[in-house]
Each structure stands twice: as C-alpha cells, then as structure tokens.
Coordinates of all heavy atoms in Angstrom, one line a residue:
M1 N 22.2 -37.6 -15.4 CA 21.7 -38.8 -16.1 C 21.4 -38.4 -17.6 O 21.1 -37.3 -17.9 CB 20.3 -39.2 -15.5 CG 20.4 -40.0 -14.2 SD 18.9 -40.5 -13.6 CE 18.2 -38.9 -13.2
R2 N 21.7 -39.4 -18.4 CA 21.4 -39.2 -19.8 C 20.9 -40.5 -20.4 O 21.1 -41.5 -19.9 CB 22.6 -38.7 -20.6 CG 23.7 -39.8 -20.7 CD 24.8 -39.2 -21.6 NE 25.9 -40.2 -21.7 CZ 25.9 -41.1 -22.7 NH1 25.0 -41.2 -23.6 NH2 26.9 -42.0 -22.8
R3 N 20.1 -40.4 -21.5 CA 19.6 -41.5 -22.2 C 20.5 -41.9 -23.3 O 20.8 -41.0 -24.2 CB 18.2 -41.3 -22.6 CG 17.6 -42.5 -23.2 CD 16.1 -42.4 -23.2 NE 15.5 -43.5 -23.9 CZ 15.0 -44.6 -23.3 NH1 15.1 -44.7 -22.0 NH2 14.5 -45.5 -24.0
A4 N 21.0 -43.1 -23.4 CA 21.9 -43.6 -24.4 C 21.3 -44.9 -24.9 O 21.1 -45.8 -24.2 CB 23.3 -43.8 -23.9
S5 N 20.9 -44.9 -26.2 CA 20.2 -46.1 -26.8 C 19.0 -46.4 -25.9 O 18.2 -45.5 -25.6 CB 21.1 -47.3 -26.9 OG 21.5 -47.8 -25.7
A6 N 18.9 -47.6 -25.4 CA 17.7 -47.9 -24.6 C 18.0 -47.9 -23.1 O 17.1 -48.2 -22.3 CB 17.2 -49.3 -24.9
L7 N 19.1 -47.4 -22.6 CA 19.5 -47.4 -21.2 C 19.6 -46.0 -20.6 O 19.9 -45.1 -21.3 CB 20.9 -48.1 -21.0 CG 21.0 -49.5 -21.5 CD1 22.5 -50.0 -21.3 CD2 20.1 -50.4 -20.8
W8 N 19.2 -45.9 -19.4 CA 19.5 -44.7 -18.6 C 20.7 -45.0 -17.8 O 20.9 -46.1 -17.3 CB 18.3 -44.4 -17.7 CG 17.1 -43.8 -18.4 CD1 16.1 -44.5 -18.9 CD2 16.9 -42.5 -18.7 NE1 15.2 -43.7 -19.5 CE2 15.7 -42.4 -19.4 CE3 17.5 -41.3 -18.4 CZ2 15.1 -41.2 -19.8 CZ3 17.0 -40.1 -18.8 CH2 15.8 -40.1 -19.5
E9 N 21.5 -43.9 -17.6 CA 22.8 -44.1 -16.9 C 22.9 -43.0 -15.9 O 22.3 -41.9 -16.0 CB 23.9 -44.0 -17.9 CG 23.9 -45.0 -19.0 CD 24.8 -44.7 -20.2 OE1 25.3 -43.5 -20.3 OE2 25.0 -45.5 -21.0
V10 N 23.7 -43.2 -14.8 CA 23.9 -42.2 -13.8 C 25.4 -41.8 -13.8 O 26.3 -42.7 -13.8 CB 23.5 -42.7 -12.4 CG1 23.9 -41.7 -11.3 CG2 22.0 -43.1 -12.4
F11 N 25.7 -40.5 -13.9 CA 27.0 -40.0 -13.9 C 27.2 -39.0 -12.8 O 26.2 -38.4 -12.3 CB 27.3 -39.3 -15.2 CG 27.4 -40.1 -16.4 CD1 26.3 -40.5 -17.2 CD2 28.7 -40.6 -16.9 CE1 26.4 -41.3 -18.3 CE2 28.8 -41.4 -18.0 CZ 27.7 -41.7 -18.7
V12 N 28.4 -38.8 -12.4 CA 28.8 -37.7 -11.5 C 29.8 -36.9 -12.2 O 30.6 -37.4 -13.0 CB 29.3 -38.1 -10.1 CG1 28.2 -38.8 -9.3 CG2 30.5 -39.0 -10.2
L13 N 29.9 -35.6 -11.9 CA 30.9 -34.7 -12.4 C 31.8 -34.2 -11.3 O 31.3 -33.9 -10.2 CB 30.2 -33.5 -13.1 CG 29.3 -33.8 -14.3 CD1 28.6 -32.5 -14.7 CD2 30.1 -34.4 -15.4
K14 N 33.1 -34.2 -11.6 CA 34.1 -33.7 -10.6 C 34.9 -32.6 -11.3 O 35.4 -32.8 -12.4 CB 35.0 -34.8 -10.2 CG 36.0 -34.4 -9.2 CD 36.9 -35.5 -8.7 CE 37.9 -35.0 -7.7 NZ 38.9 -36.0 -7.3
F15 N 34.9 -31.5 -10.7 CA 35.7 -30.4 -11.2 C 37.2 -30.6 -11.0 O 37.6 -30.8 -9.9 CB 35.3 -29.0 -10.7 CG 35.9 -27.8 -11.3 CD1 35.6 -27.5 -12.6 CD2 36.9 -27.1 -10.7 CE1 36.2 -26.4 -13.2 CE2 37.5 -26.0 -11.3 CZ 37.1 -25.7 -12.6
E16 N 38.0 -30.5 -12.1 CA 39.4 -30.7 -12.0 C 40.0 -29.3 -12.2 O 40.0 -28.7 -13.3 CB 39.9 -31.6 -13.1 CG 39.5 -33.0 -12.9 CD 39.9 -34.0 -14.0 OE1 40.2 -33.5 -15.1 OE2 40.0 -35.2 -13.7
E17 N 40.4 -28.7 -11.1 CA 40.9 -27.3 -11.0 C 42.1 -27.1 -12.0 O 42.1 -26.1 -12.7 CB 41.2 -26.9 -9.6 CG 41.2 -25.4 -9.4 CD 41.2 -25.1 -7.9 OE1 40.7 -25.8 -7.1 OE2 41.8 -24.0 -7.6
A18 N 43.0 -28.0 -12.0 CA 44.2 -27.8 -12.8 C 43.9 -27.7 -14.3 O 44.5 -26.9 -15.0 CB 45.2 -28.9 -12.6
Q19 N 42.9 -28.4 -14.8 CA 42.6 -28.4 -16.2 C 41.4 -27.5 -16.4 O 41.0 -27.3 -17.6 CB 42.2 -29.8 -16.7 CG 43.3 -30.7 -16.8 CD 43.7 -31.4 -15.5 OE1 42.9 -31.5 -14.6 NE2 44.9 -32.0 -15.5
E20 N 40.8 -26.9 -15.3 CA 39.6 -26.0 -15.4 C 38.5 -26.7 -16.2 O 37.9 -26.1 -17.1 CB 40.0 -24.7 -16.0 CG 40.9 -23.9 -15.1 CD 41.2 -22.5 -15.5 OE1 40.7 -22.1 -16.6 OE2 42.0 -21.8 -14.9
R21 N 38.2 -27.9 -15.9 CA 37.1 -28.6 -16.6 C 36.5 -29.7 -15.7 O 37.1 -30.0 -14.6 CB 37.6 -29.3 -17.8 CG 38.6 -30.4 -17.6 CD 39.1 -31.1 -18.9 NE 40.0 -32.1 -18.6 CZ 39.7 -33.4 -18.5 NH1 38.5 -33.8 -18.7 NH2 40.6 -34.3 -18.2
Y22 N 35.3 -30.2 -16.1 CA 34.7 -31.2 -15.3 C 35.0 -32.6 -15.9 O 35.1 -32.7 -17.1 CB 33.2 -31.1 -15.3 CG 32.7 -30.0 -14.4 CD1 32.5 -28.7 -14.9 CD2 32.5 -30.2 -13.1 CE1 32.1 -27.7 -14.1 CE2 32.0 -29.2 -12.2 CZ 31.8 -27.9 -12.7 OH 31.4 -27.0 -11.9
R23 N 35.2 -33.6 -15.1 CA 35.5 -34.9 -15.5 C 34.2 -35.8 -15.2 O 33.7 -35.8 -14.1 CB 36.7 -35.5 -14.8 CG 37.0 -36.9 -15.2 CD 38.3 -37.4 -14.5 NE 38.2 -37.4 -13.1 CZ 37.8 -38.4 -12.4 NH1 37.5 -39.6 -12.9 NH2 37.8 -38.3 -11.0
K24 N 33.7 -36.4 -16.2 CA 32.5 -37.2 -16.1 C 32.9 -38.6 -15.7 O 33.8 -39.2 -16.3 CB 31.7 -37.2 -17.4 CG 30.5 -38.0 -17.4 CD 29.7 -37.8 -18.7 CE 30.5 -38.4 -19.9 NZ 29.7 -38.4 -21.1
R25 N 32.1 -39.2 -14.8 CA 32.4 -40.6 -14.4 C 31.1 -41.3 -14.3 O 30.1 -40.9 -13.6 CB 33.1 -40.6 -13.0 CG 33.3 -42.1 -12.6 CD 34.4 -42.1 -11.5 NE 34.5 -43.5 -11.1 CZ 34.2 -43.9 -9.9 NH1 33.7 -43.1 -9.0 NH2 34.3 -45.2 -9.6
R26 N 31.0 -42.5 -15.0 CA 29.8 -43.3 -15.0 C 29.7 -44.1 -13.8 O 30.7 -44.8 -13.5 CB 29.7 -44.1 -16.3 CG 28.5 -45.0 -16.4 CD 28.5 -45.8 -17.7 NE 27.4 -46.6 -17.7 CZ 27.0 -47.3 -18.8 NH1 27.8 -47.3 -19.9 NH2 26.0 -48.1 -18.8
L27 N 28.6 -44.2 -13.1 CA 28.4 -45.0 -11.9 C 27.6 -46.2 -12.1 O 27.7 -47.2 -11.4 CB 27.7 -44.1 -10.8 CG 28.5 -42.9 -10.4 CD1 27.7 -42.2 -9.2 CD2 29.9 -43.2 -9.9
T28 N 26.8 -46.3 -13.2 CA 25.9 -47.4 -13.4 C 26.6 -48.4 -14.3 O 27.5 -48.1 -15.1 CB 24.6 -47.0 -14.1 OG1 24.9 -46.1 -15.2 CG2 23.7 -46.2 -13.1
A29 N 26.2 -49.7 -14.2 CA 26.8 -50.7 -15.0 C 26.1 -50.7 -16.4 O 25.0 -50.2 -16.5 CB 26.6 -52.1 -14.3
E30 N 26.7 -51.3 -17.4 CA 26.2 -51.4 -18.7 C 25.0 -52.3 -18.8 O 24.2 -52.2 -19.7 CB 27.2 -51.8 -19.7 CG 28.3 -50.7 -19.9 CD 29.2 -51.0 -21.1 OE1 28.8 -51.7 -22.0 OE2 30.3 -50.4 -21.1
D31 N 24.8 -53.2 -17.9 CA 23.7 -54.2 -17.9 C 22.6 -53.8 -17.0 O 21.8 -54.6 -16.5 CB 24.2 -55.6 -17.6 CG 24.8 -55.7 -16.2 OD1 25.0 -54.7 -15.5 OD2 25.0 -56.8 -15.7
E32 N 22.4 -52.5 -16.7 CA 21.3 -52.1 -15.8 C 20.7 -50.8 -16.4 O 21.3 -50.0 -17.1 CB 21.8 -51.9 -14.4 CG 22.6 -50.6 -14.2 CD 23.0 -50.4 -12.8 OE1 22.2 -50.5 -11.9 OE2 24.2 -50.1 -12.5
H33 N 19.5 -50.6 -16.0 CA 18.7 -49.4 -16.3 C 18.5 -48.6 -15.0 O 18.0 -49.2 -14.1 CB 17.4 -49.8 -16.9 CG 16.4 -48.7 -17.1 ND1 16.1 -48.1 -18.3 CD2 15.6 -48.0 -16.2 CE1 15.2 -47.2 -18.1 NE2 14.9 -47.1 -16.9
A34 N 19.0 -47.4 -14.9 CA 18.9 -46.6 -13.7 C 18.4 -45.3 -14.0 O 18.7 -44.6 -15.0 CB 20.3 -46.5 -13.0
S35 N 17.4 -44.8 -13.2 CA 16.8 -43.5 -13.4 C 16.4 -42.9 -12.1 O 16.4 -43.5 -11.1 CB 15.6 -43.6 -14.4 OG 14.6 -44.5 -13.8
A36 N 15.9 -41.7 -12.2 CA 15.4 -40.9 -11.0 C 16.4 -40.9 -9.8 O 16.0 -41.2 -8.7 CB 14.1 -41.5 -10.6
A37 N 17.7 -40.7 -10.1 CA 18.7 -40.7 -9.1 C 18.5 -39.5 -8.1 O 18.1 -38.4 -8.5 CB 20.1 -40.6 -9.7
S38 N 18.8 -39.8 -6.8 CA 18.6 -38.8 -5.8 C 19.8 -38.9 -4.7 O 20.0 -40.1 -4.3 CB 17.3 -39.0 -5.1 OG 17.1 -38.1 -4.0
F39 N 20.4 -37.8 -4.4 CA 21.5 -37.9 -3.4 C 20.9 -37.9 -2.0 O 19.9 -37.2 -1.7 CB 22.4 -36.7 -3.5 CG 23.5 -36.8 -4.5 CD1 23.3 -36.4 -5.8 CD2 24.7 -37.4 -4.2 CE1 24.3 -36.6 -6.8 CE2 25.7 -37.6 -5.2 CZ 25.5 -37.2 -6.5
S40 N 21.6 -38.5 -1.0 CA 21.2 -38.4 0.4 C 21.5 -37.0 0.9 O 22.3 -36.3 0.3 CB 21.9 -39.5 1.2 OG 23.3 -39.2 1.2
P41 N 20.9 -36.6 2.0 CA 21.1 -35.3 2.5 C 22.6 -35.0 2.7 O 23.1 -33.8 2.5 CB 20.3 -35.2 3.8 CG 19.2 -36.2 3.5 CD 19.8 -37.3 2.7
D42 N 23.4 -35.9 3.2 CA 24.8 -35.7 3.4 C 25.7 -35.9 2.2 O 26.9 -35.8 2.2 CB 25.3 -36.5 4.6 CG 25.4 -38.0 4.3 OD1 25.0 -38.5 3.2 OD2 25.8 -38.8 5.2
G43 N 25.1 -36.3 1.1 CA 25.8 -36.5 -0.2 C 26.6 -37.8 -0.3 O 27.3 -38.0 -1.3
S44 N 26.5 -38.7 0.7 CA 27.3 -39.9 0.6 C 26.7 -41.0 -0.2 O 27.4 -41.9 -0.6 CB 27.6 -40.4 2.1 OG 26.4 -40.8 2.7
L45 N 25.4 -41.0 -0.4 CA 24.7 -42.1 -1.1 C 23.9 -41.6 -2.2 O 23.4 -40.4 -2.2 CB 23.8 -42.9 -0.1 CG 24.4 -43.6 1.0 CD1 23.4 -44.1 2.0 CD2 25.3 -44.7 0.6
I46 N 23.6 -42.4 -3.2 CA 22.7 -42.1 -4.3 C 21.7 -43.2 -4.4 O 22.1 -44.4 -4.5 CB 23.5 -42.0 -5.7 CG1 24.6 -40.9 -5.6 CG2 22.5 -41.7 -6.8 CD1 25.5 -40.9 -6.8
A47 N 20.4 -42.9 -4.4 CA 19.4 -43.9 -4.6 C 18.8 -43.7 -6.0 O 18.8 -42.6 -6.6 CB 18.3 -43.7 -3.6
S48 N 18.3 -44.8 -6.6 CA 17.8 -44.7 -7.9 C 16.8 -45.8 -8.2 O 16.8 -46.8 -7.5 CB 18.9 -44.7 -9.0 OG 19.5 -45.9 -9.0
H49 N 16.0 -45.7 -9.2 CA 15.2 -46.8 -9.7 C 16.2 -47.7 -10.5 O 17.1 -47.2 -11.1 CB 14.1 -46.3 -10.7 CG 13.1 -45.5 -10.1 ND1 12.3 -44.6 -10.9 CD2 12.6 -45.4 -8.9 CE1 11.5 -44.0 -10.1 NE2 11.6 -44.5 -8.9
H50 N 16.0 -49.0 -10.4 CA 16.9 -50.0 -11.0 C 16.1 -51.1 -11.7 O 15.2 -51.6 -11.1 CB 17.8 -50.6 -9.9 CG 18.6 -51.8 -10.3 ND1 19.8 -51.6 -11.0 CD2 18.3 -53.1 -10.3 CE1 20.2 -52.8 -11.3 NE2 19.3 -53.7 -10.9
E51 N 16.5 -51.4 -12.9 CA 16.0 -52.6 -13.6 C 17.2 -53.2 -14.3 O 18.0 -52.5 -15.0 CB 15.0 -52.2 -14.6 CG 13.7 -51.7 -14.1 CD 12.7 -51.4 -15.1 OE1 12.3 -52.3 -15.9 OE2 12.2 -50.2 -15.2
P52 N 17.3 -54.5 -14.2 CA 18.4 -55.2 -15.0 C 18.1 -55.2 -16.5 O 16.9 -55.1 -16.9 CB 18.4 -56.6 -14.4 CG 17.0 -56.8 -13.9 CD 16.6 -55.5 -13.4
E53 N 19.1 -55.1 -17.3 CA 19.0 -55.2 -18.7 C 19.6 -56.5 -19.1 O 20.7 -56.5 -19.7 CB 19.6 -54.0 -19.4 CG 18.9 -52.7 -19.2 CD 17.6 -52.6 -19.9 OE1 17.4 -53.4 -20.9 OE2 16.7 -51.8 -19.5
D54 N 18.9 -57.6 -18.9 CA 19.5 -58.9 -19.2 C 18.8 -59.6 -20.3 O 19.0 -60.8 -20.5 CB 19.5 -59.8 -17.9 CG 18.1 -60.0 -17.4 OD1 17.1 -59.5 -18.0 OD2 18.0 -60.6 -16.3
G55 N 17.9 -58.9 -21.0 CA 17.2 -59.5 -22.1 C 15.9 -60.2 -21.8 O 15.3 -60.8 -22.7
T56 N 15.6 -60.3 -20.5 CA 14.3 -60.9 -20.1 C 13.4 -59.8 -19.7 O 13.8 -58.8 -19.1 CB 14.5 -61.9 -18.9 OG1 15.0 -61.2 -17.8 CG2 15.5 -63.0 -19.3
Y57 N 12.1 -60.0 -19.9 CA 11.1 -59.0 -19.6 C 9.8 -59.7 -19.2 O 9.6 -60.9 -19.6 CB 10.8 -58.1 -20.8 CG 12.0 -57.3 -21.2 CD1 12.9 -57.8 -22.2 CD2 12.4 -56.2 -20.5 CE1 14.0 -57.1 -22.6 CE2 13.5 -55.5 -20.9 CZ 14.3 -56.0 -21.9 OH 15.5 -55.3 -22.2
P58 N 8.9 -59.1 -18.4 CA 9.1 -57.8 -17.8 C 9.9 -57.8 -16.5 O 10.1 -58.9 -16.0 CB 7.6 -57.4 -17.6 CG 6.9 -58.7 -17.3 CD 7.6 -59.7 -18.1
H59 N 10.3 -56.6 -16.1 CA 11.0 -56.5 -14.8 C 10.2 -55.5 -14.0 O 9.7 -54.5 -14.5 CB 12.4 -55.9 -15.0 CG 13.3 -56.8 -15.7 ND1 13.8 -57.9 -15.1 CD2 13.9 -56.7 -16.9 CE1 14.7 -58.5 -15.9 NE2 14.7 -57.8 -17.0
N60 N 10.2 -55.7 -12.7 CA 9.6 -54.7 -11.8 C 10.8 -53.7 -11.5 O 11.9 -54.1 -11.3 CB 9.2 -55.3 -10.5 CG 7.9 -56.1 -10.6 OD1 7.1 -55.8 -11.4 ND2 7.7 -57.1 -9.8
C61 N 10.4 -52.5 -11.5 CA 11.4 -51.4 -11.1 C 11.7 -51.6 -9.6 O 10.8 -51.8 -8.8 CB 10.8 -50.1 -11.4 SG 12.0 -48.7 -11.0
Q62 N 13.0 -51.6 -9.3 CA 13.4 -51.8 -7.9 C 14.1 -50.5 -7.4 O 14.4 -49.6 -8.2 CB 14.4 -53.0 -7.8 CG 13.8 -54.3 -8.2 CD 12.6 -54.7 -7.3 OE1 12.7 -54.6 -6.0 NE2 11.6 -55.2 -7.8
I63 N 14.4 -50.4 -6.1 CA 15.1 -49.3 -5.6 C 16.5 -49.7 -5.2 O 16.7 -50.7 -4.5 CB 14.4 -48.7 -4.3 CG1 12.9 -48.4 -4.6 CG2 15.2 -47.5 -3.7 CD1 12.7 -47.3 -5.6
A64 N 17.5 -49.0 -5.7 CA 18.9 -49.4 -5.5 C 19.6 -48.2 -4.8 O 19.1 -47.0 -4.9 CB 19.6 -49.6 -6.8
V65 N 20.6 -48.5 -4.0 CA 21.4 -47.4 -3.4 C 22.9 -47.8 -3.6 O 23.2 -49.0 -3.6 CB 21.0 -47.2 -1.9 CG1 21.4 -48.5 -1.1 CG2 21.6 -46.0 -1.3
M66 N 23.7 -46.8 -3.8 CA 25.1 -47.0 -3.9 C 25.9 -45.8 -3.3 O 25.3 -44.7 -3.1 CB 25.5 -47.1 -5.4 CG 25.3 -45.8 -6.2 SD 25.7 -46.1 -7.9 CE 24.3 -45.5 -8.7
R67 N 27.2 -46.0 -3.0 CA 28.0 -44.8 -2.5 C 28.1 -43.9 -3.6 O 27.9 -44.2 -4.8 CB 29.3 -45.3 -2.0 CG 29.3 -46.2 -0.8 CD 30.7 -46.4 -0.2 NE 31.7 -46.7 -1.2 CZ 32.3 -47.8 -1.4 NH1 32.0 -48.8 -0.7 NH2 33.2 -47.9 -2.4
R68 N 28.5 -42.7 -3.3 CA 28.6 -41.6 -4.4 C 29.7 -41.9 -5.4 O 29.7 -41.3 -6.4 CB 28.7 -40.2 -3.8 CG 30.1 -40.0 -3.1 CD 30.1 -38.6 -2.5 NE 31.4 -38.5 -1.8 CZ 31.5 -37.6 -0.8 NH1 30.5 -36.9 -0.5 NH2 32.7 -37.6 -0.2
D69 N 30.6 -42.8 -5.0 CA 31.6 -43.2 -6.0 C 31.2 -44.4 -6.8 O 32.0 -44.9 -7.6 CB 33.0 -43.5 -5.3 CG 32.9 -44.7 -4.4 OD1 31.8 -45.4 -4.3 OD2 33.9 -45.0 -3.7
G70 N 30.0 -44.9 -6.7 CA 29.5 -46.0 -7.4 C 29.7 -47.4 -6.8 O 29.2 -48.4 -7.3
G71 N 30.4 -47.4 -5.7 CA 30.6 -48.7 -5.0 C 29.5 -49.1 -4.1 O 28.6 -48.4 -3.8
D72 N 29.6 -50.4 -3.6 CA 28.7 -50.9 -2.7 C 27.2 -50.8 -3.1 O 26.4 -50.4 -2.3 CB 28.9 -50.3 -1.3 CG 28.2 -51.1 -0.2 OD1 28.0 -52.3 -0.4 OD2 27.8 -50.5 0.8
R73 N 26.9 -51.1 -4.4 CA 25.5 -51.0 -4.9 C 24.7 -52.1 -4.3 O 25.1 -53.3 -4.3 CB 25.5 -51.2 -6.4 CG 24.2 -51.0 -7.0 CD 24.2 -51.2 -8.5 NE 25.6 -51.1 -9.0 CZ 26.0 -50.1 -9.7 NH1 25.3 -49.2 -10.1 NH2 27.3 -50.1 -10.1
R74 N 23.5 -51.8 -3.8 CA 22.6 -52.7 -3.2 C 21.2 -52.5 -3.7 O 20.8 -51.3 -3.8 CB 22.6 -52.5 -1.6 CG 23.9 -52.9 -1.0 CD 23.9 -52.5 0.5 NE 24.1 -51.1 0.5 CZ 23.8 -50.3 1.5 NH1 23.4 -50.8 2.6 NH2 24.0 -49.0 1.5
I75 N 20.5 -53.5 -4.0 CA 19.1 -53.5 -4.4 C 18.3 -53.7 -3.2 O 18.2 -54.8 -2.6 CB 18.7 -54.6 -5.5 CG1 19.7 -54.6 -6.6 CG2 17.3 -54.4 -6.0 CD1 19.9 -53.3 -7.4
L76 N 17.7 -52.6 -2.7 CA 17.0 -52.6 -1.4 C 15.7 -53.4 -1.4 O 15.2 -53.9 -0.4 CB 16.8 -51.2 -0.9 CG 18.0 -50.4 -0.7 CD1 17.6 -49.0 -0.2 CD2 19.0 -51.0 0.3
T77 N 15.0 -53.4 -2.6 CA 13.7 -54.0 -2.7 C 13.7 -55.3 -3.5 O 12.7 -55.7 -4.0 CB 12.8 -53.0 -3.4 OG1 13.3 -52.6 -4.6 CG2 12.6 -51.8 -2.5
A78 N 14.8 -56.0 -3.6 CA 14.9 -57.2 -4.4 C 14.0 -58.3 -4.0 O 13.5 -59.1 -4.9 CB 16.4 -57.7 -4.4
S79 N 13.6 -58.4 -2.8 CA 12.7 -59.4 -2.3 C 11.2 -59.2 -2.5 O 10.4 -60.0 -2.3 CB 12.9 -59.7 -0.8 OG 12.6 -58.6 -0.1
L80 N 10.9 -58.0 -3.0 CA 9.5 -57.6 -3.3 C 9.1 -58.1 -4.6 O 9.9 -58.1 -5.6 CB 9.3 -56.1 -3.2 CG 9.6 -55.5 -1.8 CD1 9.4 -54.0 -1.9 CD2 8.8 -56.1 -0.7
D81 N 7.8 -58.5 -4.8 CA 7.3 -59.0 -6.0 C 6.4 -57.9 -6.7 O 5.5 -58.2 -7.4 CB 6.5 -60.3 -5.8 CG 5.3 -60.0 -4.9 OD1 5.1 -58.9 -4.4 OD2 4.4 -61.0 -4.9
R82 N 6.7 -56.7 -6.5 CA 5.9 -55.6 -7.1 C 6.8 -54.4 -7.5 O 7.9 -54.3 -7.1 CB 4.8 -55.1 -6.1 CG 5.3 -54.7 -4.8 CD 4.2 -54.4 -3.8 NE 3.2 -55.5 -3.8 CZ 3.1 -56.5 -3.0 NH1 4.0 -56.6 -2.1 NH2 2.2 -57.4 -3.1
Q83 N 6.1 -53.5 -8.3 CA 6.8 -52.4 -8.8 C 7.1 -51.4 -7.6 O 6.3 -51.2 -6.8 CB 5.9 -51.7 -9.8 CG 6.5 -50.6 -10.6 CD 7.3 -51.1 -11.8 OE1 7.5 -52.3 -11.9 NE2 7.7 -50.2 -12.6
C84 N 8.3 -50.8 -7.6 CA 8.6 -49.7 -6.7 C 8.8 -48.4 -7.4 O 9.2 -48.4 -8.5 CB 9.9 -50.1 -6.0 SG 9.9 -51.6 -5.1
D85 N 8.5 -47.3 -6.7 CA 8.5 -46.0 -7.3 C 8.9 -45.0 -6.2 O 8.9 -45.3 -5.0 CB 7.2 -45.7 -7.9 CG 7.3 -44.7 -9.1 OD1 8.5 -44.2 -9.3 OD2 6.3 -44.4 -9.7
A86 N 9.1 -43.8 -6.6 CA 9.3 -42.6 -5.8 C 10.5 -42.8 -4.8 O 10.4 -43.0 -3.7 CB 8.0 -42.3 -5.0
V87 N 11.7 -42.5 -5.4 CA 12.9 -42.6 -4.6 C 13.1 -41.3 -3.8 O 13.0 -40.2 -4.4 CB 14.1 -42.8 -5.5 CG1 15.4 -42.7 -4.7 CG2 14.0 -44.1 -6.2
A88 N 13.3 -41.4 -2.5 CA 13.6 -40.2 -1.7 C 14.4 -40.7 -0.5 O 14.0 -41.7 0.1 CB 12.3 -39.6 -1.2
I89 N 15.5 -40.0 -0.2 CA 16.3 -40.3 0.9 C 16.2 -39.2 2.0 O 16.2 -38.1 1.6 CB 17.8 -40.5 0.5 CG1 18.0 -41.5 -0.5 CG2 18.7 -40.7 1.7 CD1 19.4 -41.6 -1.0
S90 N 16.0 -39.6 3.2 CA 15.9 -38.6 4.3 C 16.6 -39.0 5.5 O 17.1 -40.1 5.6 CB 14.4 -38.4 4.6 OG 13.8 -39.5 5.1

C-alpha cells in the first residue's frame, strides 16, 4: 500500500522471472480509499478498510474483501450504520 495524494491504494507485486523484476498491479479503484489490507491464510482473498471517495462526507469505514487479483470486490459491512475496524481473516 502507498499513499498518493489523499487516497490509499492496494497493490500486489508479481515477480517476472524473464525480466528479473517485479511488476506492480493496482487492485483498488480510483474512487475508493483502501487501507489496512490483509491476506487470507490461503492467500486467495484480501480484506481491507474501505471508504468511497465520492466527494461526500463523512463516511463510515467499511470492511471490503476481494480476490487476490482484485476481482469480485464485496463490501461486507455495507448494511451497518457504524464505523468498522480491525480487519483480520481466519
């Protein structure tokens, strides 16, 4: 993860053996704030804190999960009306 302007982003790195370098791939969308990413024990999912960046405030921090390739993103706590914290997958 790195901070760019006002957004937090989630990236994964893949080693490309032929070029002997890592390739960076962004998993988060430009209109979201994602932080505190955590991999599932088997490495197939990534959970993170999620807040939309749509110009409206305040937002409650929600818990999101996505596949390790960034697909199938789901906001698990969207129906809650309170702040969520402490992402851990077990």
Side-chain angles (χ1 to χ4, degrees):
M1 283 181 290
R2 70 176 179 90
R3 186 161 173 96
S5 67
L7 300 178
W8 284 91
E9 302 163 347
V10 177
F11 289 86
V12 292
L13 297 175
K14 181 179 180 183
F15 186 71
E16 295 178 336
E17 200 167 327
Q19 289 85 19
E20 295 185 0
R21 65 179 179 98
Y22 285 94
R23 182 176 57 94
K24 177 174 67 170
R25 180 160 176 248
R26 182 179 177 170
L27 300 181
T28 50
E30 291 190 23
D31 63 348
E32 72 178 315
H33 169 105
S35 61
S38 176
F39 277 92
S40 63
D42 69 358
S44 66
L45 298 172
I46 302 172
S48 67
H49 293 157
H50 168 85
E51 291 182 58
E53 290 290 340
D54 59 6
T56 62
Y57 297 97
H59 291 289
N60 287 330
C61 182
Q62 299 295 317
I63 305 298
V65 66
M66 65 182 131
R67 291 191 320 249
R68 69 179 176 206
D69 65 1
D72 193 27
R73 183 181 345 247
R74 294 170 285 162
I75 310 301
L76 301 178
T77 56
S79 65
L80 299 179
D81 65 349
R82 56 189 43 95
Q83 190 82 354
C84 298
D85 205 0
V87 175
I89 300 177
S90 60

